[in-house]
Amino acid sequence: MFSIIQAAGWPIWPLIACSILALAIVIERFISLKTSKVAPPRLLDEVLSVTKSTVPGPDVVTQLEKNSALGEVLASGLRAMNSNPHCSEEDLRATMEGAGRVVAQRLEHYLSALGTIASAAPMLGLFGTVVGMIEIFGSQAPGGTSGGNPAQLAHGISIALYNTAFGLVVAIPSLIFWRYFRGRVDAYLLTLELSAEHLVRHLKSLRK
């Protein structure tokens, strides 16, 4: 591996940095986007069960908020009801939408960086290819004859090919994981939105 890096020349180092950063983001997102941390499957049913007859107190709401991202959104609605039992349905929705936007920003954390790496890696590989081509042309003897330096010619070719290949090796998995996490976040946001709407309707019926 070290011999490949040596053969690819200095243009490969930005690509190596991008690959390390992309790997760190992928691992962090896999940990942060676990279902248990974002939208536990039975949490909404448990909240509806607890609020069947009355809105729970601040201690229960605080525990719910710390449970998950979904718990944070649902807790914002319950806290609004505790603060003002007569708050309108529009105010309740606005409060939960505000909490949802905060959660959405957190779920999308680092995804733009991963998408940038997926877009930039092929360009960095192309930059390495151009550097290799410059090495190739630089190895030719003045006057345009083919009697250039063979070692320098081979070095230029290796820089061009290795950087092109490594740029694609970094970009393709980064793009795949970006699309995967993007779809996962969108599914979570839909779940949060539907759950919040369900709780709003439940709290509305509770006040009747």
Side-chain angles (χ1 to χ4, degrees):
M1 185 66 184
F2 184 69
S3 62
I4 293 176
I5 293 174
Q6 281 185 316
W10 65 266
I12 204 171
W13 288 107
L15 283 169
I16 292 175
C18 286
S19 67
I20 294 172
L21 181 58
L23 180 60
I25 292 173
V26 167
I27 293 173
E28 190 276 337
R29 288 291 85 191
F30 265 119
I31 295 173
S32 298
L33 294 178
K34 286 182 178 179
T35 302
S36 60
K37 290 186 175 182
V38 180
R42 298 181 58 84
L43 182 61
L44 177 61
D45 293 334
E46 293 173 1
V47 172
L48 295 178
S49 177
V50 170
T51 58
K52 188 173 294 184
S53 57
T54 184
V55 178
D59 293 340
V60 176
V61 174
T62 301
Q63 290 180 354
L64 175 63
E65 186 178 33
K66 295 178 180 178
N67 177 274
S68 59
L70 175 58
E72 187 175 337
V73 174
L74 299 180
S76 67
L78 298 179
R79 183 172 285 111
M81 288 291 293
N82 280 328
S83 300
N84 181 13
H86 302 290
C87 71
S88 66
E89 186 177 338
E90 291 75 17
D91 290 340
L92 187 59
R93 276 197 172 89
T95 299
M96 297 181 76
E97 286 174 3
R101 284 193 290 270
V102 173
V103 168
Q105 194 277 334
R106 195 162 64 239
L107 293 180
E108 294 171 352
H109 201 41
Y110 298 130
L111 289 189
S112 59
L114 188 59
T116 300
I117 291 172
S119 301
M123 289 189 241
L124 289 173
L126 179 61
F127 172 72
T129 302
V130 172
V131 172
M133 296 299 292
I134 293 172
E135 291 268 354
I136 292 172
F137 286 114
S139 68
Q140 302 302 306
T145 62
S146 58
N149 187 336
Q152 194 172 358
L153 179 63
H155 180 64
I157 294 173
S158 66
I159 289 178
L161 295 180
Y162 278 129
N163 280 278
T164 301
F166 202 76
L168 295 175
V169 166
V170 174
I172 292 172
S174 297
L175 180 60
I176 291 172
F177 280 113
W178 178 80
R179 288 189 177 275
Y180 169 74
F181 290 131
R182 182 71 265 173
R184 196 164 181 175
V185 167
D186 289 343
Y188 281 142
L189 293 178
L190 178 61
T191 299
L192 265 60
E193 183 178 348
L194 294 177
S195 299
E197 181 62 27
H198 197 155
L199 182 63
V200 168
R201 292 197 303 268
H202 174 74
L203 294 176
K204 180 181 176 182
S205 65
L206 188 63
R207 291 189 293 186
K208 290 182 179 180

